[in-house]
């Protein structure tokens, strides 16, 4: 009898506390949208269904999101999400960065980093289907076609090739801000893959050193062995009237050097990038590697490498 009464008291107190905390509610400001992405309706529909609840000022919360303490977590996510990407303030992004942002969105969505998995669990209607991803992909492809080169770009590319002696590079090239030295030998490494970046019209070749190629042949790619090194070289992509694709102006070359101990602080990889014909080291200070690591984060279960073994597994 007595025990029963104690339990009732405890439950009563909990119930009152639960009702009480309902009055402690975070404020989620929803100022009017100043500018949304200027994209076709099907693209907008995908973003609305999967992303707008966090990345916009047009938030539609489910009833169970609005109960404290759930609402506290939701409000936190929304605050953090808007900081990095807010579709309702799209016009605050410079034009050239808008497509780059959408490309990043496609990446995050393709590798199932976004929408946040715990959110999808509770909101199954926000799950992206393959068709949704195809919608995003198709749209970014058309953006790419409109970025096709003009004669100026072709002239720049030709002038550059005439002037640049690839065999001379490697001399007098300053190291990256994190101390990593330029690796001119990347040009002799084996090509592993080529990719296109749809939003900014570049093509890239990814090459790997001997250690990387041996690891691919032997299937030891996750994790990659120490010493494995990749280069990714990017050029403008030029398409002539017959549809042939060639490399245009050289943009940059970047490296990932595996050394699980030396580079433990940056996920086991040394990151470095040199830009333009002058091969200027990229980054104001060594914190530039955070940019690399963050964008490669969706591949954390693949040792942070995007390219392989997808493309070489059948070799
Ligand atoms: C439940 C809330 C939520 C939803 C829904 C959501 N996101 Fe996010 N997103 C976040 C949060 C929180 C962050 C900041 C995370 C961080 O970096 O810790 C974020 C970060 C991002 C970033 C920046 C990543 C980076 O690290 O630079 C991109 C891009 C992004 N989201 C795209 C999307 C896209 C595209 C969708 C829809 C397909 C989407 N998100 C849906 C919460 C959400
Ligand atoms: C905006 C996102 C993003 C950022 C930032 C980024 N990468 Fe990548 N990186 C990619 C993607 C996507 C690939 C896959 C190949 C492709 O699509 O070109 C890739 C591929 C690579 C590769 C080839 C190996 C692989 O993972 O496939 C190297 C090397 C590389 N990146 C180096 C760097 C370095 C160094 C930095 C920082 C200076 C950096 N990346 C920053 C997205 C990014």
């Amino acid at each position: 009898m007595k025990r029963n009464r104690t339990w009732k008291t405890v439950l009563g107190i909990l119930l009152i506390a639960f009702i009480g905390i309902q009055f402690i509610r975070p404020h989620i400001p929803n100022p009017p949208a100043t500018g949304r992405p200027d994209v076709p309706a099907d693209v907008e529909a995908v973003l609305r269904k999967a992303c707008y609840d966090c990345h916009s000022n047009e938030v539609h919360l489910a009833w169970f999101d609005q109960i404290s303490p759930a609402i506290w977590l939701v409000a936190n996510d929304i605050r953090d999400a808007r900081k990095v990407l807010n579709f309702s303030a799209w016009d605050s992004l410079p034009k050239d960065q808008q497509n780059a942002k959408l490309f990043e969105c496609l990446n995050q969505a393709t590798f199932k980093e976004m929408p946040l998995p715990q959110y999808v669990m509770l909101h199954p209607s926000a799950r992206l289907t393959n068709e949704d991803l195809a919608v995003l992909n198709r749209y970014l492809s058309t953006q790419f076609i409109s970025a096709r080169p003009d004669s100026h770009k072709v002239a720049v590319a030709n002038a550059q090739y005439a002037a640049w002696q690839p065999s001379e590079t490697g001399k007098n090239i300053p190291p990256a801000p994190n101390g990593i030295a330029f690796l001119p030998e990347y040009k002799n490494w084996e090509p592993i893959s080529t990719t296109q970046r749809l939003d900014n019209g570049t093509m890239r070749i990814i090459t790997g050193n001997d250690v990387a190629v041996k690891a691919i042949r032997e299937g030891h790619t996750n994790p990659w062995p120490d010493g494995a090194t990749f280069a990714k070289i990017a050029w403008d992509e030029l398409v002539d009237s017959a549809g042939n694709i060639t490399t245009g102006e050289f943009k940059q070359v970047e490296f990932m050097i595996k050394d699980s101990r030396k580079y433990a602080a940056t996920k086991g990889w040394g990151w470095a990038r040199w830009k333009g014909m002058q091969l200027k080291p990229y980054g104001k200070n060594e914190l530039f590697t955070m940019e690399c690591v963050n964008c490669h984060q969706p591949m954390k279960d693949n040792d942070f490498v995007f390219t392989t073994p997808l493309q070489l597994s059948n070799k």
Side-chain angles (χ1 to χ4, degrees):
M1 256 325 251
K2 190 154 184 237
R3 208 157 147 220
N4 209 347
R5 209 176 323 135
T6 317
W7 270 111
K8 276 189 187 150
T9 316
V10 169
L11 280 180
I13 290 171
L14 283 179
L15 184 65
I16 291 167
F18 179 73
I19 294 170
I21 62 170
Q22 299 312 315
F23 294 97
I24 312 172
R25 307 189 69 82
H27 175 59
I28 305 176
N30 282 311
T34 51
R36 298 192 192 86
D38 181 18
V39 293
D42 56 346
V43 176
E44 181 165 338
V46 171
L47 299 177
R48 273 190 186 276
K49 110 171 175 180
C51 321
Y52 265 52
D53 270 356
C54 296
H55 291 288
S56 84
N57 301 341
E58 294 147 82
V59 172
H60 299 283
L61 296 180
W63 63 267
F64 51 81
D65 292 326
Q66 310 200 28
I67 298 172
S68 295
I71 185 74
W72 303 341
L73 302 175
V74 170
N76 240 350
D77 274 348
I78 294 176
R79 200 176 39 238
D80 289 349
R82 282 180 186 171
K83 258 187 239 150
V84 288
L85 169 67
N86 186 343
F87 288 117
S88 304
W90 193 244
D91 55 334
S92 67
L93 267 185
K95 262 256 157 318
D96 58 326
Q97 282 176 33
Q98 293 179 350
N99 277 341
K101 205 59 176 179
L102 284 180
F103 180 79
E104 193 188 342
C105 286
L106 177 62
N107 261 338
Q108 298 276 338
T110 304
F111 293 105
K112 308 240 179 300
E113 290 284 310
M114 287 287 151
L116 293 176
Q118 64 269 30
Y119 169 82
V120 176
M121 231 159 50
L122 292 171
H123 307 80
S125 62
R127 185 184 304 280
L128 290 177
T129 63
N130 287 341
E131 180 49 31
D132 294 332
L133 291 174
V135 165
L136 297 179
N137 219 332
R138 270 198 301 272
Y139 169 68
L140 282 171
S141 312
T142 62
Q143 292 305 102
F144 164 59
I145 287 162
S146 69
R148 272 181 181 177
D150 52 26
S151 55
H152 169 71
K153 283 193 174 176
V154 177
V156 169
N158 290 343
Q160 188 180 66
Y161 267 88
W164 198 24
Q165 298 286 321
S167 58
E168 294 295 310
T169 57
K171 291 182 197 160
N172 307 324
I173 295 171
N178 53 356
I180 291 179
F182 189 72
L183 301 171
E185 61 270 28
Y186 77 88
K187 286 187 224 62
N188 307 325
W189 294 347
E190 194 162 323
I192 288 172
S193 167
T194 62
T195 60
Q196 298 172 321
R197 182 153 161 185
L198 302 175
D199 65 298
N200 64 7
T202 54
M203 67 185 279
R204 307 92 180 288
I205 293 182
I206 292 152
T207 64
N209 71 353
D210 291 350
V211 181
V213 169
K214 183 160 176 279
I216 293 167
R217 298 245 153 84
E218 293 171 358
H220 296 145
T221 59
N222 197 2
W224 289 87
D226 281 354
T229 305
F230 297 103
K232 183 170 121 181
I233 313 117
W235 295 268
D236 267 342
E237 179 167 301
L238 306 185
V239 188
D240 70 15
S241 50
N244 301 311
I245 291 174
T246 53
T247 54
E249 184 186 355
F250 169 84
K251 293 292 184 188
Q252 63 179 28
V253 55
E254 58 192 352
F255 298 100
M256 287 170 67
I257 306 162
K258 178 80 192 224
D259 190 324
S260 43
R261 241 171 269 153
K262 187 168 172 193
Y263 300 125
T266 48
K267 311 290 183 189
W269 293 93
W271 308 79
R273 174 188 287 169
W274 282 264
K275 288 187 79 82
M277 233 167 93
Q278 289 73 35
L279 295 168
K280 189 168 176 286
Y282 174 79
K284 286 202 185 68
N285 53 45
E286 61 183 303
L287 288 179
F288 80 91
T289 55
M290 292 312 298
E291 228 180 275
C292 319
V293 169
N294 282 344
C295 207
H296 280 247
Q297 183 72 17
M299 302 313 291
K300 58 182 180 303
D301 296 332
N302 198 34
D303 201 8
F304 296 88
V305 172
F306 279 96
T307 300
T308 41
L310 287 174
Q311 327 254 345
L312 266 199
S313 53
N314 52 0
K315 202 161 185 183

